């Protein structure tokens, strides 16, 4: 009963050996050489089973197992821990971290295959786990102000509802109640709703209550934007409000897109705990790249797993010396999910008329890129 197996092993020789052995028995193999890679492939590759080495530099196997179990997308995947340490305390730690099996190296290939088959048969018997339906939540976080974060969140919401999320419910939410341009950029009137919600007890907020304050954009996107009055002069969310609002919404709607603005204040830190994914918005200039580097390091320090982070490059105004995508990736040591090309005229007209770019010129290069990103998010 072959299936797809993710092998997590930092030692290349062992990785090859186990990989070839399993491949020869018909299994499809995906490999990861460290913890963060394992977490990201466990989500993107949807393996049927994970073979997890314990001793790895950086994040060890116990931590990887704990995080796999904590993430509902990977919580049910069977895990076999493979380790050189055979002490009882090691085994207990392995099971406590979430392993289903614990094998001590060197493992005889026949034993490994038997354990794999048994576990796969067991999960096939149990069937896919029954989960409450739940929407996806994505935050948009600028490396600094003015890089195009709100423009991205807004166009993406429309690209989703006009594409992969057609017929579904998409909410566009401001993380901060003041200094907001979201409603204005969408051609809507500024909304009092978030301020009202900020005055309520966060524990009592239900999706229905929250959505009564949303405005329906012509595209169908439900917008919960803040006020244009400066941040600090209007009642703001507490971190508990931000968290409660996102939690309530993902239980009801299909997509929640959050314009986080910039920085990691307490509200944004609370959001990072509940959002499925955060898109860091970057522009290809030296100062922005240095700020991005610091921001990404802070996300790591806050334990936002790499599989929950993405980087979007917005090229608002290129010069002859603008760094390329490759250069930016090399500098940040991260993959860029999508590059948004410059569209100064369209961006200007769109802001003037309060119509998102993807609606104004759906065939434009910039709109095509927003649609690519919508597909990417929908397929995660
Ligand atoms: N691809 C693009 N090409 C050219 N201009 C763009 C592009 N995307 C956004 N802009 C313009 O960049 C400016 C800043 O955009 P936006 O308000 O979305 O940024 P922001 O990061 O949310 O800013 P703030 O920090 O004020 O919230 C706007 O004038 C917008 O029209
Ligand atoms: Mg903005």
């Amino acid at each position: 009963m072959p299936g797809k197996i993710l092998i997590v092993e930092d030692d290349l020789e062992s990785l090859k050996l186990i990989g070839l052995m399993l491949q020869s028995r018909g299994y499809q193999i995906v490999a990861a050489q460290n913890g963060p890679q394992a977490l990201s492939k466990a989500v993107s590759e949807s393996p049927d089973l994970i073979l997890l080495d314990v001793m790895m530099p950086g994040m060890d196997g116990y931590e990887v197992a704990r995080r796999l179990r904590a993430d509902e997308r990977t919580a049910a995947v069977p895990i076999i821990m493979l380790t050189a340490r055979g002490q009882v305390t090691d085994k207990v730690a392995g099971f406590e971290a979430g392993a289903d099996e614990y094998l001590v190296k060197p493992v005889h290939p026949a034993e490994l295959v038997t354990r794999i088959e048994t576990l796969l048969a067991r999960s096939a018997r149990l069937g896919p786990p029954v989960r409450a339906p739940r929407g996806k939540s994505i935050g948009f976080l600028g490396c600094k102000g003015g890089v195009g974060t709100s423009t991205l969140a807004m166009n993406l919401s429309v690209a989703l509802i006009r594409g992969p999320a057609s017929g579904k419910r998409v909410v566009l939410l401001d993380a901060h109640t003041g200094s907001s341009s979201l409603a204005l950029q969408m051609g809507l009137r500024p909304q009092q709703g978030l301020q009202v919600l900020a005055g309520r007890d966060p524990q009592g907020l239900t999706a229905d209550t929250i959505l009564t304050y949303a405005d329906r954009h012509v595209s169908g996107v439900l917008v919960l934007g803040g006020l244009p009055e400066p941040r600090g002069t209007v009642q703001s969310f507490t971190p508990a409000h931000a968290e409660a609002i996102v939690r309530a919404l993902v239980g009801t709607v299909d997509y929640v897109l959050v314009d986080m603005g910039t920085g990691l204040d307490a509200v944004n830190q609370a959001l990072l705990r509940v959002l499925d994914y955060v898109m860091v918005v970057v522009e290809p200039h030296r100062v922005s790249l240095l700020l991005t580097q610091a921001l990404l390091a802070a996300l790591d320090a806050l334990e936002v797993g790499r599989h929950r982070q993405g980087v979007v490059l917005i090229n608002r105004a290129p010069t002859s010396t603008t760094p390329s995508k490759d250069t930016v990736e090399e500098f940040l040591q991260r993959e860029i999910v999508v590059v948004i090309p410059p569209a100064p005229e369209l961006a200007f007209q769109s802001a003037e008329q309060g119509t998102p770019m993807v609606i104004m010129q759906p065939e434009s290069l910039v709109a095509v890129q927003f649609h690519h990103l919508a597909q990417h998010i929908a397929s995660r």
Side-chain angles (χ1 to χ4, degrees), residues 62 82-92 102-105:
Y62 300 130
L82 277 183
T83 175
R85 303 193 301 199
Q87 304 289 324
V88 174
T89 46
D90 298 326
K91 292 191 183 182
V92 171
Y102 194 96
L103 295 177
V104 181
K105 293 193 225 175

Side-chain angles (χ1 to χ4, degrees), residues 144-151 174 179-182 185 231 259-262:
K144 66 185 190 66
V147 290
T149 307
S150 301
T151 306
D174 244 326
S179 301
S180 168
S181 61
L182 211 55
Q185 281 179 272
R231 209 179 280 181
D259 182 355
M260 302 169 77
T262 60

